[in-house]
Amino acid sequence: MTLPRFLLDLSMVFPSLEAAVEGVQQIAKSRIQPAILELIDYSTICVLDQQYSTDYASLGGAMLLVRLDGYGAEREEAVVRDAFMSSDVQLSKSGDAAATRLIEMRRTSRGDTKDDAYRTGEDVAIPKSRMVEYVHRLQDLAREENVNMRMISHAGDGNLHPTFFVDPTEGEQPLARLHRAVEGSVKEALALGGTITGEHGVGLIKKDWLAWEQSDEVLQLQHQIKALLDPLNILNPGKAI
């Protein structure tokens, strides 16, 4: 595999998560297809600051991290800068090494510790045109259930990773509240034309949710195809298909 000859990295700091999500749509409207387009919210930035001894949380409420590549990278950068010329967004300088460092920080960290009984990360995908609405619904859901939320996203693909977590010492039935929030996030994704998994698959955890998205006929057809290829049911048994 040949790596791109040119790489240009940009960090974009927005006043809020909603503004950053709207920034994703603005980039899409500019007909630019970044090689990397990552979104991180304020809570995640704070976690990264703790992990890497940085102070990016002082800059704003959310970030987009953009990597442009190929021979047209400089021209694409100019288009992105022009698209946000009149917006309330802080763009890094061209060739700023800090933008590259931020991308590497994001690539090597989910911005959170390992999932446990009181913390669950999700993996839904949403049409980019509905992402702002989805973020609003998730924030309302988190407030209703009295749970905390962080969010990172492969925003260029509409693949969002909200993480919900609760303090087991605060409030009644913390695990029940957490479970309702997680299931609610999946149902909201489907209601907006999304899918229950953007990249990690169904596996074991989501197999009971697959019927929310696919009909009995579709599920049966998939099982029939699996049976043809694996008549002894020895390939990954017990999973959704």
Side-chain angles (χ1 to χ4, degrees), residues 38-57:
E38 295 287 301
L39 180 149
I40 51 178
D41 70 354
Y42 180 79
S43 295
T44 304
I45 296 171
C46 290
V47 174
L48 292 177
D49 280 343
Q50 293 173 0
Q51 292 176 343
Y52 294 96
S53 300
T54 53
D55 188 29
Y56 291 111

Side-chain angles (χ1 to χ4, degrees), residues 2-241:
T2 302
L3 295 176
R5 183 170 179 180
F6 298 107
L7 293 174
L8 282 173
D9 296 332
L10 295 172
S11 65
M12 308 175 68
V13 182
F14 294 81
S16 67
L17 176 59
E18 291 88 345
V21 175
E22 290 174 355
V24 174
Q25 298 181 9
Q26 200 161 342
I27 290 174
K29 291 177 182 177
S30 299
R31 306 281 186 178
I32 296 299
Q33 183 65 52
I36 292 175
L37 180 55
E38 295 287 301
L39 180 149
I40 51 178
D41 70 354
Y42 180 79
S43 295
T44 304
I45 296 171
C46 290
V47 174
L48 292 177
D49 280 343
Q50 293 173 0
Q51 292 176 343
Y52 294 96
S53 300
T54 53
D55 188 29
Y56 291 111
S58 65
L59 299 179
M63 280 188 182
L64 288 180
L65 306 176
V66 184
R67 171 164 289 174
L68 305 168
D69 64 358
Y71 290 101
E74 290 183 349
R75 187 171 296 179
E76 289 182 338
E77 179 189 15
V79 172
V80 171
R81 291 186 180 279
D82 184 65
F84 291 93
M85 185 177 299
S86 59
S87 301
D88 185 13
V89 55
Q90 304 172 52
L91 275 81
S92 61
K93 295 180 180 179
S94 185
D96 187 356
T100 300
R101 186 187 181 201
L102 276 163
I103 289 176
E104 293 308 311
M105 287 166 60
R106 165 62 193 97
R107 287 166 69 104
T108 56
S109 173
R110 286 181 53 191
D112 206 347
T113 53
K114 183 180 178 180
D115 290 348
D116 57 27
Y118 299 98
R119 180 188 293 105
T120 303
E122 258 315 314
D123 164 43
V124 299
I126 307 293
K128 284 186 283 187
S129 61
R130 310 296 298 274
M131 283 175 60
V132 174
E133 185 178 356
Y134 183 68
V135 167
H136 281 303
R137 293 190 183 190
L138 283 196
Q139 291 173 331
D140 290 342
L141 180 64
R143 282 191 291 267
E144 290 170 5
E145 297 295 348
N146 190 24
V147 301
N148 301 301
M149 184 186 76
R150 296 189 185 113
M151 180 179 290
I152 58 177
S153 171
H154 309 311
D157 300 328
N159 184 199
L160 288 81
H161 296 299
T163 294
F164 298 94
F165 55 102
V166 293
D167 184 337
T169 66
E170 295 183 359
E172 297 181 355
Q173 298 182 318
L175 290 179
R177 300 196 325 265
L178 179 63
H179 181 73
R180 288 195 300 268
V182 172
E183 283 206 341
S185 72
V186 174
K187 290 178 179 178
E188 292 290 0
L190 292 173
L192 294 176
T195 179
I196 65 174
T197 177
E199 61 177 335
H200 294 296
V202 175
L204 290 171
I205 294 175
K206 294 190 174 188
K207 68 177 184 178
D208 292 336
W209 300 347
L210 189 57
W212 297 354
E213 181 172 346
Q214 297 183 348
S215 67
D216 291 340
E217 291 79 9
V218 171
L219 294 175
Q220 183 178 1
L221 178 60
Q222 293 180 65
H223 282 290
Q224 290 172 349
I225 294 173
K226 169 71 158 54
L228 285 173
L229 300 174
D230 179 25
L232 299 181
N233 193 30
I234 60 175
L235 301 178
N236 224 6
K239 297 296 179 69
I241 302 300

